[in-house]
Amino acid sequence: MKKNQILLSAALLLLIMAFQTGLAARKKVFCFYYNWYKTPAFDSTDQHWAHWNNGDKKGYPGGDNIGANFFPSLGNYSTKDPVVIAKHMAMIKKAGIDAIFLTYWGKDHFTAESIPVILKEAQKAGVKVGFQIEPYGNRSPLTVKADVKYIIDTWGKHPAFYRTDDTKKPLFFVYDSYLSKAPEWAEVLNTEGSQTIRKTPYDSDFMGLWVNSNEQEFFKTSGFDGFYTYFVSKVFRYGSDPKNWANMQQWALQNNKQFIPCVGPGYIDERIRPENAINTQSRDNGKYYDDYWKKAIAVKPAAIAITSFNEWHEGTQIEPAKPHKTEGFTYLDYKPLTDDYYLIRTKYWSNQFVK
């Protein structure tokens, strides 16, 4: 009897461990979210719908004439408007996305005003919220450390704040991480660094941006926990081309790093960067998005990130878009697909990935 009890206890322990490992290993789908939109009706000013190219007053004033090649089905909206955010969070949840990562430009930037509203509506919808730290003026590893401390102190206890399943650490993406040198990052991100954040209450998982083919040394010495690719024009950079992902994943596994490939439905920023037409990528009626997903899943990452939910300037959005015209310009749309096609397709691929 005693022997049977021991065997039963051992079997139960193995079952619990297997269950916990399954939780820790559950694959995640992330999405970059841009909380930088304002409207005169809601905020008494316009942000990002109006767009002036390098101060050129021949740019786009907002309203029907925005700095984007597509036009949102919701029209111009404010990312402080709880009604709009509730709609967004419902879309995101229905699409099978686990967490969104907000664009973060510092605690005093206007985008920070929308964070409490987004956290509140995300909690209602069952969506988690994290942050992508952007290259604001004079950003450095030390200012990023201060950002992380502020974010965790201010929002880290919110039920919607994203933490990893296994270590319960926050996760931060650092856009254009290459702007600071690896030894500077090492002072903050390596355990032995003079300003280390490791083994403190603010220790987190940090993803740097892999851009070019020769990033190995940077990620080996900087102390980043892993890397992501963000860009979704396949011709733009080494990291954004899926043909390179198998090698990147192999290197990540060999060096105890996490690789998060990024997928997107297409790319076009010709209204705000007409000189960048060489990087335009047609959506090809959804085939471009499908191909990115297939190639991301093929390298068996622990997470995939979508660029983006609503970066309208660069035409990477999966948010619904509608046919629209303004004087002298006809916006692109998703026809013959439905306006919510990319949300539906995201749900399909999310299911394929996590199963």
Side-chain angles (χ1 to χ4, degrees):
M1 183 70 175
K2 193 171 184 180
K3 182 179 180 181
N4 289 339
Q5 287 177 330
I6 292 172
L7 289 173
L8 183 61
S9 297
L12 182 60
L13 179 60
L14 287 171
L15 183 63
I16 292 170
M17 289 175 64
F19 178 72
Q20 290 176 334
T21 301
L23 283 179
R26 183 183 176 278
K27 297 172 183 175
K28 297 290 185 181
V29 176
F30 302 139
C31 189
F32 296 109
Y33 183 95
Y34 286 83
N35 49 308
W36 60 14
Y37 298 106
K38 286 188 176 185
T39 64
F42 192 87
D43 307 281
S44 300
T45 187
D46 191 303
Q47 289 283 359
H48 276 269
W49 301 117
H51 188 92
W52 307 106
N53 296 329
N54 298 318
D56 180 2
K57 294 303 179 183
K58 294 179 181 178
Y60 311 105
D64 282 342
N65 193 358
I66 64 174
N69 288 77
F70 292 86
F71 200 87
S73 290
L74 291 177
N76 298 8
Y77 55 75
S78 168
T79 41
K80 283 176 61 181
D81 184 345
V83 174
V84 170
I85 300 306
K87 291 178 180 178
H88 280 177
M89 295 306 122
M91 293 177 192
I92 288 162
K93 180 66 175 179
K94 191 174 181 180
I97 295 166
D98 296 292
I100 58 170
F101 285 78
L102 308 183
T103 184
Y104 188 78
W105 296 86
K107 64 183 178 68
D108 297 320
H109 193 265
F110 77 89
T111 50
E113 299 169 7
S114 62
I115 295 172
V117 176
I118 293 171
L119 284 166
K120 182 178 180 180
E121 296 304 324
Q123 181 186 357
K124 292 178 185 177
V127 174
K128 297 297 183 181
V129 178
F131 296 85
Q132 177 175 224
I133 299 178
E134 303 282 4
Y136 52 77
N138 299 316
R139 189 191 73 181
S140 71
L142 285 178
T143 68
V144 169
K145 178 183 177 181
D147 292 332
V148 169
K149 292 179 70 174
Y150 176 81
I151 289 169
I152 293 174
D153 284 344
T154 307
W155 299 296
K157 293 182 180 179
H158 195 284
F161 185 79
Y162 181 78
R163 293 179 183 272
T164 59
D165 286 342
D166 48 359
T167 65
K168 305 303 178 185
K169 288 182 181 179
L171 173 64
F172 292 94
F173 292 89
V174 183
Y175 186 80
D176 281 359
S177 49
Y178 59 82
L179 292 175
S180 294
K181 296 178 179 179
E184 297 172 336
W185 284 114
E187 289 300 302
V188 172
L189 300 182
N190 279 342
T191 305
E192 64 276 13
S194 62
Q195 300 290 330
T196 187
I197 201 170
R198 304 302 187 184
K199 298 182 179 179
T200 75
Y202 305 101
D203 197 356
S204 304
D205 288 338
F206 294 91
M207 301 293 122
L209 182 64
W210 186 303
V211 180
N212 297 314
S213 60
N214 57 344
E215 305 278 16
Q216 292 86 344
E217 188 59 33
F218 177 89
F219 284 103
K220 189 179 290 186
T221 61
S222 60
F224 278 96
D225 300 284
F227 49 88
Y228 70 118
T229 54
Y230 185 81
F231 304 113
V232 291
S233 172
K234 295 176 184 177
V235 300
F236 183 56
R237 289 289 186 268
Y238 177 92
S240 64
D241 189 341
K243 72 182 182 185
N244 300 314
W245 288 355
N247 289 336
M248 294 167 68
Q249 174 71 321
Q250 182 180 19
W251 186 88
L253 294 172
Q254 291 171 345
N255 290 272
N256 196 30
K257 304 290 184 184
Q258 183 180 357
F259 172 37
I260 302 178
C262 297
V263 303
Y267 186 92
I268 184 167
D269 62 357
E270 293 180 20
R271 289 208 93 193
I272 65 167
R273 301 185 189 109
E275 74 284 358
N276 197 41
I278 190 173
N279 290 312
T280 295
Q281 298 290 301
S282 168
R283 295 189 172 221
D284 196 15
N285 291 331
K287 293 178 183 177
Y288 189 87
Y289 196 43
D290 286 350
D291 186 59
Y292 248 131
W293 269 103
K294 289 174 187 175
K295 290 175 178 174
I297 292 172
V299 299
K300 300 180 180 179
I304 292 174
I306 301 163
T307 305
S308 64
F309 181 77
N310 61 342
E311 217 296 13
W312 289 93
H313 299 308
E314 296 181 347
T316 62
Q317 77 287 338
I318 60 171
E319 183 183 0
K322 67 181 179 180
H324 194 71
K325 291 183 180 180
T326 189
E327 185 176 352
F329 187 76
T330 299
Y331 292 90
L332 298 173
D333 57 61
Y334 303 157
K335 287 185 176 180
L337 309 173
T338 60
D339 67 349
D340 62 348
Y341 173 83
Y342 290 97
L343 299 176
I344 295 169
R345 204 61 181 161
T346 299
K347 178 62 174 178
Y348 169 82
W349 284 115
S350 296
N351 287 342
Q352 295 299 306
F353 175 52
V354 303
K355 69 179 182 181

